[in-house]
Amino acid sequence: MYEWKWKRFEELSSAEIYEILRVRQEVFVVEQNCVYQDIDSLDQVSWHLFAQTNNGGDSVQILAYLRVVFPGHKYIEPSIGRVLTAKEARGQGSGRLLMEKAMELLKAEFPKQEVRISAQKYLEAFYSDFGFMPVSEPYDEDGIPHIEMVTAMERNAR
């Protein structure tokens, strides 16, 4: 069973920050064989959503994660990024639940604003299930095809 947590950067424990950075490197750098600057100064202006298991004491294992960057920092709109499911948690619906929880927060905090993401192109259909529509041609980001997508304001306001 997972424990879901929403935290601002300043609320994260050192163990949580370490595990967030570890799992992001595992998925985005090692698994995808993509060298890029993951630590980008946006974590401090974001909410962090994650599903974790407690391995005893302060030891946690993050199985799903994303961040919501506050409006005006990456884009004019609030944005979702660094969406991941750890290898051992894939195929169990964690990614879908992760996005549902993110959209709930965004609807509550920014009810009339669009939400923007820079999605890996192969996940376009997945994100379209949450109301995202492509607003750019595919582009290369760190050797991986991406597409910019935005939610419709009407859907986000529901």
Side-chain angles (χ1 to χ4, degrees):
M1 188 68 182
Y2 305 157
E3 180 182 359
W4 289 93
K5 293 187 175 183
W6 270 115
K7 291 190 174 186
R8 290 177 176 258
F9 184 80
E10 60 273 9
E11 298 169 330
L12 294 167
S13 71
S14 58
E16 289 166 334
I17 292 170
Y18 180 86
E19 179 63 8
I20 286 167
L21 296 175
R22 187 201 64 76
V23 75
R24 285 182 1 193
Q25 277 192 351
E26 180 180 287
V27 171
F28 298 123
V29 177
V30 177
E31 280 184 29
Q32 296 182 358
N33 193 27
C34 180
V35 177
Y36 79 106
Q37 185 67 44
D38 177 51
I39 299 173
D40 59 2
S41 299
L42 293 174
D43 288 318
Q44 297 94 318
V45 291
S46 299
W47 278 296
H48 301 267
L49 170 62
F50 51 99
Q52 73 175 33
T53 60
N54 191 321
N55 297 327
D58 287 339
S59 177
V60 297
Q61 179 181 15
I62 291 179
L63 300 170
Y65 169 85
L66 62 70
R67 71 181 181 189
V68 172
V69 180
F70 305 149
H73 291 279
K74 182 169 181 160
Y75 302 110
I76 294 169
E77 309 90 347
S79 64
I80 297 173
R82 301 296 198 264
V83 181
L84 68 84
T85 303
K87 194 180 291 187
E88 56 272 22
R90 293 182 190 148
Q92 302 171 25
S94 301
R96 189 161 294 284
L97 187 53
L98 183 70
M99 283 300 297
E100 287 170 3
K101 289 180 175 293
M103 296 308 289
E104 286 173 15
L105 174 89
L106 286 159
K107 287 174 190 172
E109 293 292 324
F110 308 104
K112 299 200 184 285
Q113 282 192 284
E114 296 176 328
V115 178
R116 186 172 296 266
I117 59 173
S118 173
Q120 292 185 5
K121 177 72 172 126
Y122 84 95
L123 291 168
E124 182 178 348
F126 172 77
Y127 289 116
S128 69
D129 288 348
F130 297 96
F132 286 92
M133 300 171 296
V135 293
S136 76
E137 293 297 317
Y139 57 93
D140 180 274
E141 186 173 311
D142 302 314
I144 298 172
H146 279 69
I147 190 162
E148 223 168 271
M149 301 179 81
V150 174
T151 57
M153 276 173 50
E154 303 80 51
R155 175 170 168 88
N156 200 35
R158 284 187 207 154

